[in-house]
Amino acid sequence: MIIMSVDYGDVRTGIAVCDKMQILASPVCVITEKDRERLAEKVKEIAIERKVERICVGVPQNMDGSYGFRSEACREFGELLKEVTGIDVDYQNERLTTVSAHNILNAVDVRGKKRKAVVDAVSAVLILEDYMNSIKNK
């Protein structure tokens, strides 16, 4: 099953997909779009192009396990995606994925504008990897 992950942001949203065997998660792009409806349509286009069968939206969870206002925004966007694409949407804890993405980009010496352009896609890859691991462990 091909799965797409979405690292939803107010301005930039990272997209990643896995292969059909769910072995490799790869970054696709970062979409710069503030309007949720237009963003959902752009995600839909990628989902159709990539033959996506499930979407996973990253949801931030606080260190104490609770969910804040940002989590609600991510879940609302996930529901919009489900409505627009007709594809089932799951949610994955994305706590610290952006920090991890920055650490990865530090390790490969990606800085400045290049970093800003890819950090959300790297975060989407990390969300997707966690989601795939959670499926395998069920």
Side-chain angles (χ1 to χ4, degrees), residues 67-110:
Y67 294 94
F69 73 94
R70 187 72 199 150
S71 298
E72 187 176 321
C74 292
R75 288 186 183 277
E76 287 172 2
F77 184 69
E79 290 303 310
L80 176 61
L81 280 179
K82 184 175 182 176
E83 182 181 308
V84 168
T85 65
I87 299 170
D88 286 337
V89 174
D90 287 332
Y91 302 93
Q92 178 66 37
N93 180 11
E94 67 167 37
R95 182 184 341 153
L96 302 177
T97 55
T98 302
V99 172
S100 296
H102 280 289
N103 290 337
I104 290 167
L105 293 172
N106 280 340
V108 295
D109 201 30
V110 175

Side-chain angles (χ1 to χ4, degrees), residues 2-19:
I2 298 173
I3 305 168
M4 169 191 283
S5 68
V6 177
D7 182 24
Y8 175 63
D10 291 330
V11 177
R12 286 179 304 279
T13 298
I15 305 293
V17 296
C18 70
D19 61 299

